[in-house]
Amino acid sequence: MNVAADLTFDVVIIGGGVVGLALARQLARRDRKLAVLEKNDRCGQETSSRNSEVIHAGIYYPRDFLKSRLCVEGNRRLYEWCRDRNIPHARIGKLIVASDTEEEAALPAIKNGAEQNNVTDLEIIAPARLRNLEPAVTARAAVFSPSTGIVDSHRLMLSLRADAEARGAIVSCRACVTAIHHASPGYDLEINNGAYRLHTKALINSAGLHADTVAGLAGIDIDAAGYRLRPCKGNYFSASPSPALRHLVYPVPMKNNVGLGIHATLDLAGRVRFGPDSRYLEAEETRILKRWGYRTDDPETSPGRLYAVDEGRREAFAAAVARYLPGMAAASFVPEMSGIRPKLQGPGEPAADFIIREEGDRGMPGFINLIGIESPGLTACLAIAVYVAKKYFHEGE
């Protein structure tokens, strides 16, 4: 396949979410031709902007997980980035609250696990201290995490994109990779079903919910490789009237970290939002989500309709929240938004780590897959970018 010289790149990143943009910012430089290809109208329209916007401390993940290390490192890097570039953020802290004796007994294990991940600032607090921090919250005890915070994810992505473009990166939206052909060396890509083509020496798959699809386009058997994603939907509700909170409030997490439970988060204006819950998409929903290629918003086929809030979840939300914020009626819960997580972990399976892997042993040198980059991907985005740059491009800070 002949490709014009102006469409030949050193690095192409598929996916313009927060991780793809962080990679672009890290790898872009004047002597390296780099492009980000984003299939949607704008960058970060999927998982990167449909989440709680929490800067996680790195509390929950197994000690040997890459996810743990990159979250802890990413927490530090993200606060520094936001401070240095005036990105709206706040280190407001988080309470993990125990509503019964069984959950209270789990708090020391949560604290000890976090300390094994080098999160050393947690403390277990008694009800009197908890009432002082959050008078509206009822619990037997809590773990307090002072280094958890919140960030404006949209402003963060704009800053990453601006920095990448200032270093020479090209960011192209409505650019869906629909075929990947092995070249020697590198890869030839077809965009929007052959509307145009380009060549790249190195290819990074940071396609989020569609990362397994992209890996499949390159010829990888995603089931044999363990790359098939299990999309998991989470709904959010707000409440009117809204409770007065100053910190994030989380229940004790679900088994195997399928989700962190329906928690109370604050935005930077102090507005409270509850969620997310966790429901794996059905097969037909997954098929709709995975329809590949750039298209306009056809109501019959667009994945957009999957993001409608499941209003039937109102009663379940009210019951979950009432365990730590009593007195909130189901009628006060108002549908807010939903998001879909690119989980590698299926129903009933143990927790899964991030996959960040160069595929040279599969005959694909220079093809780097990032699969299953769910939470804490937002927190870890800058650390992920540094990790990829060091490990696969042999570059430092």
Side-chain angles (χ1 to χ4, degrees):
M1 182 174 68
N2 294 323
V3 177
D6 61 346
L7 290 177
T8 298
F9 292 85
D10 297 304
V11 180
V12 166
I13 299 165
I14 302 175
V18 68
V19 173
L21 293 172
L23 286 163
R25 181 264 159 196
Q26 184 69 36
L27 294 172
R29 62 188 197 209
R30 287 295 172 185
D31 62 344
R32 173 181 284 154
K33 196 171 179 184
L34 182 148
V36 177
L37 304 179
E38 167 56 50
K39 73 179 183 65
N40 291 312
D41 294 331
R42 296 184 304 280
C43 289
Q45 286 188 283
E46 295 181 357
T47 307
S48 296
S49 59
R50 291 177 168 271
N51 58 71
S52 302
E53 297 188 304
V54 171
I55 302 175
H56 289 286
I59 296 170
Y60 303 106
Y61 317 108
R63 180 181 183 180
D64 58 343
F65 271 22
L66 186 61
K67 195 180 274 190
S68 306
R69 176 158 62 91
L70 294 178
C71 183
V72 173
E73 180 186 340
N75 175 283
R76 174 184 59 81
R77 289 183 181 276
L78 189 52
Y79 277 123
E80 289 176 358
W81 179 276
C82 292
R83 183 191 65 235
D84 293 346
R85 290 162 177 82
N86 296 315
I87 307 301
H89 70 289
R91 194 190 297 254
I92 59 174
K94 174 172 80 172
L95 293 160
I96 305 170
V97 297
S99 298
D100 56 34
T101 54
E102 182 179 358
E103 291 183 351
E104 185 178 12
L107 295 184
I110 292 173
K111 181 176 183 290
N112 292 340
E115 288 172 348
Q116 291 181 12
N117 291 342
N118 295 315
V119 182
T120 58
D121 59 353
L122 301 189
E123 59 177 316
I124 296 176
I125 61 174
R129 172 92 185 278
L130 176 60
R131 282 193 297 272
N132 184 55
L133 291 173
E134 288 294 355
V137 172
T138 298
R140 296 181 60 89
V143 170
F144 179 53
S145 168
S147 59
T148 302
I150 52 177
V151 63
D152 184 332
S153 62
H154 300 273
R155 289 280 295 275
L156 171 62
M157 286 187 280
L158 286 172
S159 73
L160 292 168
R161 176 173 179 171
D163 213 47
E165 290 179 328
R167 294 171 176 230
I170 297 169
V171 180
S172 180
C173 294
R174 301 189 182 186
C176 181
V177 176
T178 46
I180 300 173
H181 303 285
H182 297 227
S184 184
Y187 301 88
D188 294 332
L189 310 181
E190 293 185 13
I191 314 300
N192 296 346
N193 298 311
Y196 62 99
R197 296 173 172 82
L198 58 81
H199 176 82
T200 182
K201 296 175 185 175
L203 180 61
I204 302 177
N205 172 15
S206 182
L209 286 166
H210 310 283
D212 55 347
T213 300
V214 170
L217 287 176
I220 293 175
D221 182 332
I222 61 173
D223 290 308
Y227 289 178
R228 186 174 295 278
L229 294 171
R230 278 80 170 183
C232 187
K233 181 176 179 178
N235 298 283
Y236 291 84
F237 284 75
S238 55
S240 181
S242 180
L245 295 175
R246 293 173 292 188
H247 304 80
L248 308 172
V249 182
Y250 281 55
V252 171
M254 300 163 66
K255 187 177 180 181
N256 286 331
N257 290 332
V258 171
L260 299 181
I262 295 172
H263 47 267
T265 63
L266 297 167
D267 65 18
L268 289 159
R271 187 165 163 273
V272 179
R273 181 171 60 193
F274 299 100
D277 57 356
S278 296
R279 178 183 70 80
Y280 284 94
L281 296 189
E282 302 291 342
E284 178 60 17
E285 293 175 307
T286 299
R287 187 191 68 79
I288 292 170
L289 178 72
K290 292 292 191 175
R291 287 190 76 250
W292 190 242
Y294 178 76
R295 62 185 59 81
T296 55
D297 200 22
D298 180 344
E300 293 300 316
T301 60
S302 171
R305 62 192 173 101
L306 298 176
Y307 289 100
V309 174
D310 300 331
E311 295 194 42
R313 296 288 297 156
R314 183 181 278 108
E315 294 285 347
F317 264 70
V321 172
R323 299 191 72 223
Y324 56 87
L325 281 172
M328 293 188 62
S332 68
F333 284 79
V334 180
E336 179 79 12
M337 70 165 195
S338 74
I340 301 174
R341 287 160 275 184
K343 296 188 77 68
L344 282 163
Q345 169 192 3
E349 295 178 357
D353 199 3
F354 292 160
I355 292 173
I356 303 177
R357 189 179 192 277
E358 197 263 353
E359 303 291 352
D361 61 347
R362 291 192 170 99
M364 304 176 194
F367 181 36
I368 302 165
N369 274 313
L370 282 73
I371 314 282
I373 311 297
E374 54 164 332
S375 180
L378 176 66
T379 302
C381 66
L382 295 168
I384 290 171
V386 171
Y387 176 85
V388 170
K390 287 181 176 179
K391 187 175 180 75
Y392 300 118
F393 293 85
H394 311 293
E395 296 177 359
E397 299 289 317

